[in-house]
Each structure stands twice: as structure tokens, then as C-alpha cells.
Amino acid sequence: MPRATISAAEARRIALAAQGFAEPRRAGRGAIRRLFDRVGLVQIDSVNVLSRAQYLPGFARLGPYDREALDRAAHYAPRRLFEYWGHEASLMPVELHPLMRWRMKRAHDEAWGGMRRVAQERPELLRDVLEQVRERGPIAARDLAEQRPRRSGPWWDWSESKKAIELLFWGGEVTSARRRNFERLYDLPERVLPRTVLDAPTAAEEDAQRELVAIAARALGVAAQPELRDYFRLPTAAIRPRVAELVESGVLLPVEVEGWDVPAYLHRDARIPRRVESRALLGPFDNLLWERDRVERLFGVRFRLEIYVPKPKRVYGYYVLPFLLGDALVARVDLKADRAAGLLRVHATHVEEGAPPESHDALAEELELLAGWLGLSGVAVTAGARAGRR
């Protein structure tokens, strides 16, 4: 059967609608629920030059929402979000916990080498650390006994206890109770997660992975297999059979997208709005930007993280946010929250080729909105920050 064909413009609008950019921003009651219904999960990152990464997807889609609402959902009863390895370290609805247990079961085989070595060479340490969490939780890794970090180059290595508790976290034997200045505090799942979640049956591995692909497909709207796999960082070998099963059941429709050189799949609930009238600053860890090849296919823009690039080699800056206007990425800005001065500093602005004339004014308005949401008094543009079109 020939594949249905959709235009590149339709694919772009489908993707934006699936991520929540085709509807008016609303930051009131139920905003956090609506956000996670759309995106499925958000990534956590420690860089705080502007804002912690987990807060920015909500601002992009909801406008100036209450960040404490996200903290309450993630850190306090009744717990609605939990932290685990989804797309990197992530926050996701507690209802997804049973779908992640296959990954927890693989911890001793798939966790990073240092964690596995501790489990193999010092299994008694895992038992001791788990007992400390049971007796003293919520507890930070640095407060565990046997903290003996050693110096290695410019960084402090993880202690053996830190490796042990991270393996227990990977395996689901402990979980994150909350964060304290971004430091994770660990506790037992039964003291953190709702009883209904803990008692929910564990899905078989293939069933769980198939459901995670379906969630990714709904959040993406239209996507190729690599981004369906990447959304929850699924095993490479699992994606092809799970996609085939979803096609067979009618959840996914194989399509050809104009200009794409890879087969694509359309979620059955995806909608194609006639137009998208969005305005949003996208954090560098935003769900829409996770798969770089897809960003380039959808928007014709090459986006790369430069946080870990040496300063002389950066093209756009350290903490760069693309600016979405309508259905196009029209600019990108390198931002910093100067909390001491109470200012949102714009270190650089790059306008994309073909951006409409109203892009500058729209970006200026969005920067003012972002500054107010962050509790800053205004926007300060560094001299020479407007780098022109690229």
C-alpha cells in the first residue's frame, strides 16, 4: 500500500500542534497537567545560567506559569510527577512508573561502568547504603557514610557511596524525594510514590516499550524512527518491532513527508492546524529540540548545544534559546539571568535567514515576558549583541 504524503509545511504544523504550540497559552489551574499530557516528560539539567531546564518547556507553552506548581507536583504529596531516567534525567507523570520498570530491572547490566563495578565488587555497600536511606531518608548522597571522593584531574570523582546510591536509583530501589538546590534527596519509593502507582502491575518489557513509543509518537505528531526511539532513549533493537506493532494496530500511519529522506509515521490523533500562531523561547533542552536532525528537517535550522564547546569555538553562544514565531524558528538568543543586577542579559541575537520583519519586536516582547517571569526587573542587551542575519 502506498504511503500517504504530507507537505513539509503540514509536518511542521503537526509537530508544533502535538507539542502544544497551536493553542493559546494558559497558565492557570491545571497547567502542569496539560503540559505533561502534551509532552509526556521534561528533561532536568543542572545548568542554571538562565533557569533550570525543567521549568522552561512550561514557560514556552503556558506562558508565565507558577514554577512552584511544578515543584509541588514533583516534590510533595500527592505526588504527580517522579524523577527517573526517561530522556536523560527527567520528570514524568507517576502513571509512567510501571512502564519504566523494565529499565530498572536492567540497572545492573546497563548502568554506567563505575556503578556496575561497585555492585560487582562491593555488594555489601549497596545493602548498607539502602539501609541508610531506609533509616535516614530523605538523604543526600554527600550525607551517606563512607564518602571518600578522590581527586582526578580538574574534577572530583564520585565516591563509592554515590555510585552505589545512583545504581539503587537506576534500579528503582530508591527514588528522588525532592531536590535541595538541585541536589537530589533520596528516599524509599514507598515513602514517596502513591500506593496506587506502586501497586500497579508491571508491564512486560515489550508492552511497556510499545506504549512509550506511542506516547512519544503522540507528543511528536509526525516523526521518523530515530526520534521515536530517542524520546524515551529506548534500545535501538526495540524500535523497529514496536513501530511495526503500532502500525499494525492503527496507532501509527506510515507517511512520506515532502523533503524528508527518511520514512515517517503519523500518530492517529495528530491534527493539522491551518496555521500556527505561536511565540515562544525554547530552552536548549526543550522537547522540540531533542533530535537535532528532526529540527533541521522541520525548520531548516541547524541547532546544536554549545554549552560544552570551548568559548572561542562557539558560533551562537553559551546558553542559546531559539525563538519560535508562528511556525518558524526565526532567531536565537544567548541569555543569562543576572540575578545580582536583576536583569535578563542578552549576550547575542542571531536572526535566521528569511525571518519576517516583525521578528525583532516579537522577540523583544517575549524577552520582557521572560524577565518578569524570572523575577527580573528588565532586559539588558549587551553592546553589539545584535549579530544580524545568518
Side-chain angles (χ1 to χ4, degrees), residues 151-385:
R151 190 74 170 173
S152 175
W155 304 104
W156 288 99
D157 280 354
W158 279 9
S159 70
E160 299 292 273
S161 295
K162 170 66 172 176
K163 294 172 186 174
I165 201 167
E166 285 296 331
L167 182 61
L168 292 170
F169 176 78
W170 196 307
E173 295 181 75
V174 303
T175 191
S176 176
R178 59 183 179 275
R179 291 222 179 213
R180 181 181 61 197
N181 296 326
F182 203 72
E183 183 179 35
R184 189 187 285 144
L185 301 182
Y186 303 87
D187 208 342
L188 300 178
E190 55 265 35
R191 295 203 292 243
V192 173
L193 300 175
R195 190 74 252 168
T196 53
V197 170
L198 295 172
D199 291 343
T202 298
E205 181 172 313
E206 292 182 358
D207 294 340
Q209 291 173 351
R210 183 169 55 252
E211 181 60 24
L212 291 171
V213 174
I215 293 169
R218 187 179 67 239
L220 294 168
V222 61
Q225 284 192 13
E227 47 259 33
L228 291 172
R229 184 206 69 80
D230 180 70
Y231 209 78
F232 284 96
R233 296 289 167 89
L234 300 176
T236 302
I239 188 63
R240 189 179 297 274
R242 302 295 83 78
V243 166
E245 291 160 2
L246 290 168
V247 169
E248 178 68 22
S249 66
V251 174
L252 295 182
L253 172 67
V255 295
E256 290 185 1
V257 180
E258 175 191 11
W260 289 25
D261 59 358
V262 291
Y265 299 88
L266 181 72
H267 192 274
R268 65 184 175 192
D269 296 333
R271 65 186 186 93
I272 310 177
R274 289 189 174 185
R275 59 185 299 146
V276 174
E277 297 180 351
S278 63
R279 194 185 78 184
L281 284 162
L282 304 175
F285 299 97
D286 192 278
N287 304 48
L288 189 64
L289 305 176
W290 280 348
E291 226 287 339
R292 311 308 186 200
D293 290 342
R294 182 170 185 265
V295 173
E296 196 162 355
R297 290 198 307 270
L298 285 172
F299 300 103
V301 169
R302 183 176 175 83
F303 177 74
R304 297 293 183 271
L305 283 174
E306 296 186 295
I307 292 173
Y308 310 110
V309 174
K311 186 175 182 178
K313 295 184 178 181
R314 292 177 196 146
V315 177
Y316 295 100
Y318 178 75
Y319 205 78
V320 176
L321 285 75
F323 179 51
L324 176 68
L325 185 65
D327 66 353
L329 297 179
V330 300
R332 55 189 100 185
V333 284
D334 182 17
L335 300 179
K336 177 181 179 180
D338 186 343
R339 297 173 181 90
L343 293 171
L344 175 62
R345 297 201 179 274
V346 183
H347 291 313
T349 303
H350 302 271
V351 180
E352 304 294 341
E353 184 177 351
E358 62 269 22
S359 297
H360 180 264
D361 289 343
L363 175 58
E365 291 176 9
E366 193 68 10
L367 290 170
E368 289 287 351
L369 191 68
L370 175 63
W373 178 65
L374 293 174
L376 304 172
S377 60
V379 178
V381 180
T382 301

